[in-house]
Amino acid sequence: MNAEKALVIFSGGQDSTTCLLQALEQYGSGNVEAITFHYGQRHAVELQQARWIAQDLGVRQTELDLSLMQQITHNALMENGAEIRTEDNGLPNTFVDGRNALFLLYAAIYAKGQGIRHIITGVCETDFSGYPDCRDVFVKSMNVTLNLAMDYAFQIHTPLMYLTKAQTWALADKLGRLDYVRQHTHTCYNGVIGGCHECPSCVLRERGLQEYLDSQGRLKTMVESL
């Protein structure tokens, strides 16, 4: 068991919850904290789920209000009723400029104050919507920048970086928490409990789950045929 402490950037969604569960197994329940950001997201129901999950798992959670972002940027993820679509540049209009940079910055400031060196974020560049701030090169650059800015040896971990959504479901299953993640996390951009089944986030989540369940079915069939 790792005696060091970890801080998980936690939204209450599939990816961050899987990261939180993995961190609890790796570092121990008394050594893991969660940090959650309110930035004016239209799917604010995820904040309710994040609170519930953190309480259920016995994890100390800190919530920070970054809703000032609404004063300086506009996008479909922060505007109720806005149509979600792909822009001419290939990016979905749900991309929030600077979001992950701010998340990592504020997480690092908090972590240093708590004597925490390990920061965990569930970003991924394999099964994602093309967001540039989900790329490995960005996270590595932020790690260097934060270390230099605060003269502190942060280690930013991205356990899902090269996993497909199906593989992320497989990780949850390996942790013995597939049903937990399936039932208690919220991913839908439209804020629909249980998912709208149409937004990019729902499509990725549901397609990945079906791929994983199908693979398990094939494996079971192969084993039974031996």
Side-chain angles (χ1 to χ4, degrees):
M1 184 71 70
N2 193 326
E4 296 189 300
K5 295 183 178 181
L7 177 67
V8 178
I9 297 177
F10 181 56
S11 70
Q14 173 196 355
D15 294 340
S16 66
T17 301
T18 303
C19 287
L20 181 60
L21 292 167
Q22 184 185 52
L24 287 168
E25 183 171 286
Q26 180 177 354
Y27 294 91
S29 60
N31 297 316
V32 176
E33 293 190 33
I35 189 166
T36 302
F37 299 101
H38 167 55
Y39 56 94
Q41 58 268 54
R42 61 194 277 179
H43 54 310
V45 65
E46 71 174 5
L47 298 174
Q48 300 172 22
Q49 290 305 111
R51 294 183 196 112
W52 187 92
I53 293 169
Q55 184 176 11
D56 185 61
L57 296 175
V59 174
R60 178 182 176 185
Q61 180 193 30
T62 298
E63 291 188 40
L64 294 184
D65 185 355
L66 298 185
S67 56
L68 57 85
M69 291 179 67
Q70 294 175 298
Q71 301 176 30
I72 56 176
T73 187
H74 300 280
N75 52 77
L77 200 62
M78 297 161 61
E79 296 178 12
N80 289 325
E83 178 189 1
I84 295 176
R85 64 180 186 277
T86 300
E87 301 286 15
D88 293 338
N89 61 5
L91 278 178
N93 62 349
T94 51
F95 174 60
V96 182
D97 286 313
R99 178 178 61 169
N100 284 335
L102 278 178
F103 286 2
L104 287 168
L105 172 61
Y106 279 98
I109 294 170
Y110 176 83
K112 183 178 180 180
Q114 301 298 314
I116 298 172
R117 295 186 181 275
H118 298 278
I119 299 173
I120 301 170
T121 178
V123 298
C124 164
E125 68 172 43
T126 302
D127 251 356
F128 73 133
S129 300
Y131 295 168
D133 60 356
C134 287
R135 295 175 298 171
D136 185 59
V137 65
F138 161 72
V139 176
K140 282 184 167 58
S141 70
M142 278 296 291
N143 203 150
V144 172
T145 297
L146 293 172
N147 288 2
L148 291 173
M150 299 186 211
D151 193 23
Y152 194 73
F154 293 110
Q155 293 183 43
I156 302 177
H157 303 273
T158 54
L160 309 184
M161 180 58 72
Y162 298 113
L163 300 186
T164 64
K165 274 291 182 284
Q167 290 170 327
T168 300
W169 283 112
L171 175 57
D173 200 10
K174 182 180 178 181
L175 294 166
R177 294 299 192 121
L178 176 66
D179 288 339
Y180 188 92
V181 174
R182 189 175 181 177
Q183 294 169 12
H184 298 304
T185 63
H186 177 86
T187 305
C188 178
Y189 282 164
N190 286 315
V192 177
I193 296 175
C196 70
H197 315 297
E198 296 178 354
C199 72
S201 189
C202 279
V203 170
L204 282 174
R205 174 187 174 118
E206 292 169 10
R207 184 174 64 198
L209 177 59
Q210 192 59 55
E211 287 177 4
Y212 175 64
L213 294 177
D214 287 348
S215 71
Q216 292 302 102
R218 289 193 296 270
L219 179 61
K220 181 179 180 182
T221 300
M222 290 173 60
V223 170
E224 289 175 346
S225 67
L226 295 177

